[in-house]
Amino acid sequence: MTASTATGRLTSAVAPAAADILFDRHLRPPADPVAAELRPTSDVDRAHVVMLTEQGIVRRDTAAALLAGIEALRADDFAPLRHRPAPRGRYLAYEGHLVETLGERTGGVLHSGRSRNDLNATVLRLQLRRPYDRLLTETDALGRALTTQGRRRHTVVMPAYTHHQPAIPTTYGHYLAGVAAALVRDLDQLEHAGRELDENPLGAGAAGGTTLPVDPRRTTELLGFTAPLGNSLHAVASRDLVLRLLSACSVLGVLLTRTAHDLQSWTSAENPLLRLPDDLVGSSSMMPQKRNPFLLENIQGKAAAAIGALTAATTAMSTARFTNAIAVGTEAIAPLWPALEATTDAVLLLRLIVEGAQPDDDLMRRRATEGHTAATALAERLVVAGVPFRTAHHEVGNISRIALTAGRPFDEVAAEHLAGHPPEVLAALDPASIVTAATAGGGPGPASVLAALQDTTDRLDALRTRAAARRARWQAAEEALADAVSAVTNRS
């Protein structure tokens, strides 16, 4: 143990994946804004020029020279444009460079049948692919961690809490299975929200299409989309894709935050049902005895980012008419990127917690027993024995009060007060036996929990298969576009 890896009573540094998010990321050089904008823009240009050539709108020799100029810029990582003035935006500076170096008759044809409106809508979709796919991948990984730990812990008895009070017997695996079931639905909504990523706005022009015989189906193929958008106004006026993604992230963020609240309670010194390893907690710069589950607070903060971004984006869009608008296409999109990153970070951090948390089996079971969580099951057994539920409810509540006041076990007091009832009323009144019997309604019985976990796993598998197909389509399109560019340039 060294001073660089330990703090106070802790014996190790923070886990590398968490440290990268919390401590190291801001130390990296920022992403190059020129390449970040112009590389996807140039991908659109390459597909557009290939299509214009195949449609006979641009001469093949002109297209070959133009594509060669674009390829040279890409190979040089757009270095000639890094210090070029861009008083009307970087795209026009980029197009201006092509005109200057290739001539008006070559560089000037690039924008034929196209507007910055449909270009920007298309570039947004290309730029979203990587962060969107990363969010889905990390959410899938969290789902896998929840189901794996749920199976491992499906017989670990603990109290289910309502109003922060012990309520009924459950298992830690049942809790994890419940979170997993909610998560896979959130993942499904994320996947659904992102389907607009696969729709191609190219061909919409400024809002009214174009009189040139462009072929959006060809650019759709070359850029890895699945279909062109059918209405030119919708293509450039709408960024509802952004709102849907932020909405789905907000719903996911609520689940992450609520789960973090639970885990924060269960890792407290007063109720330490779970223990986190040293690499998932922090200490204090002043108080050497502290073990702070601070990652849970980071999850809560990061998971809330999408809610603010959704509010900002919705507000910005609501100020604009239904046509291309800066408020929609620029201002409303700005909060999307940090929100996607923050949501992804929150998902990753929660996965680390789920994987690392170690339940205290004995303490969990004791809390379930001392919390009189068997009371509801006892009342239900009285119902089976012919006692009206409300009567049973009052009688069992009185037993609980007497047991707490006298400091006696709940089952002992119950045995005294219910001695005249059939023996099965008082048999196996421990929380573990009650859990085993609680199979109806998706309860914590082992078979019920394992069935729920299998259902979640099946859903995760289906979503993963679709994600893999989407990535394969994007990769195949990159290769097809490169081949199409080579075919034009080599045959000129």
Side-chain angles (χ1 to χ4, degrees), residues 425-449:
V425 170
L426 295 166
L429 204 55
D430 61 291
S433 297
I434 292 170
V435 161
T436 300
T439 57
S448 174
V449 173

Side-chain angles (χ1 to χ4, degrees), residues 35-158:
E37 178 179 341
L38 293 184
R39 188 156 292 278
T41 299
S42 64
D43 279 329
V44 177
D45 288 345
R46 295 160 78 212
H48 186 64
V49 173
V50 167
M51 180 273 297
L52 292 176
T53 307
E54 293 175 350
Q55 290 295 103
I57 298 170
V58 172
R59 288 166 49 100
R60 184 170 293 274
D61 57 346
T62 301
L66 180 53
L67 287 170
I70 294 172
E71 295 301 297
L73 279 175
R74 288 168 60 90
D76 204 11
D77 209 22
F78 306 96
L81 302 175
R82 295 189 182 283
H83 304 292
R84 181 185 177 97
R88 295 290 182 180
R90 192 169 283 121
Y91 173 76
L92 290 182
Y94 155 76
E95 185 178 321
H97 171 82
L98 292 173
V99 169
E100 290 175 9
T101 56
L102 303 175
E104 180 74 29
R105 295 185 65 84
T106 298
V109 305
L110 176 60
H111 215 50
S112 303
R114 200 179 66 190
S115 166
R116 272 194 294 182
N117 297 356
D118 59 341
L119 172 62
N120 289 343
T122 308
V123 168
L124 171 65
R125 285 161 165 79
L126 298 184
Q127 289 174 322
L128 273 171
R129 284 179 177 177
R130 181 170 295 178
Y132 172 73
D133 184 65
R134 178 172 175 258
L135 173 57
L136 266 59
T137 299
E138 291 294 348
T139 306
D140 173 79
L142 172 57
R144 307 282 171 176
L146 288 164
T147 55
T148 297
Q149 294 301 317
R151 289 187 177 93
R152 288 184 61 192
R153 314 295 186 184
H154 78 282
T155 59
V156 176
V157 175
M158 67 175 291

Side-chain angles (χ1 to χ4, degrees), residues 284-344:
S284 164
S285 63
M286 184 178 187
M287 297 166 284
Q289 85 284 7
K290 294 294 294 297
R291 292 185 88 257
N292 300 325
F294 74 114
L295 295 186
L296 294 168
E297 296 181 41
N298 287 111
I299 291 168
Q300 292 163 7
K302 291 180 178 295
I307 299 174
L310 176 61
T311 302
T314 304
T315 302
M317 289 192 195
S318 68
T319 66
R321 298 174 68 181
F322 193 70
T323 186
N324 182 72
I326 290 174
V328 175
T330 301
E331 300 301 331
I333 291 171
L336 172 64
W337 310 107
L340 284 175
E341 182 175 68
T343 304
T344 305

Side-chain angles (χ1 to χ4, degrees), residues 242-303:
V242 172
L243 299 184
R244 291 189 180 94
L245 284 175
L246 288 174
S247 177
C249 285
S250 297
V251 174
L252 171 60
V254 170
L255 174 64
L256 301 176
T257 299
R258 296 179 70 190
T259 306
H261 277 306
D262 284 336
L263 301 181
Q264 198 168 34
S265 173
W266 300 341
T267 52
S268 68
E270 289 76 15
N271 193 35
L273 303 182
L274 297 171
R275 180 177 175 83
L276 298 177
D278 281 2
D279 65 352
L280 295 180
V281 299
S283 186
S284 164
S285 63
M286 184 178 187
M287 297 166 284
Q289 85 284 7
K290 294 294 294 297
R291 292 185 88 257
N292 300 325
F294 74 114
L295 295 186
L296 294 168
E297 296 181 41
N298 287 111
I299 291 168
Q300 292 163 7
K302 291 180 178 295

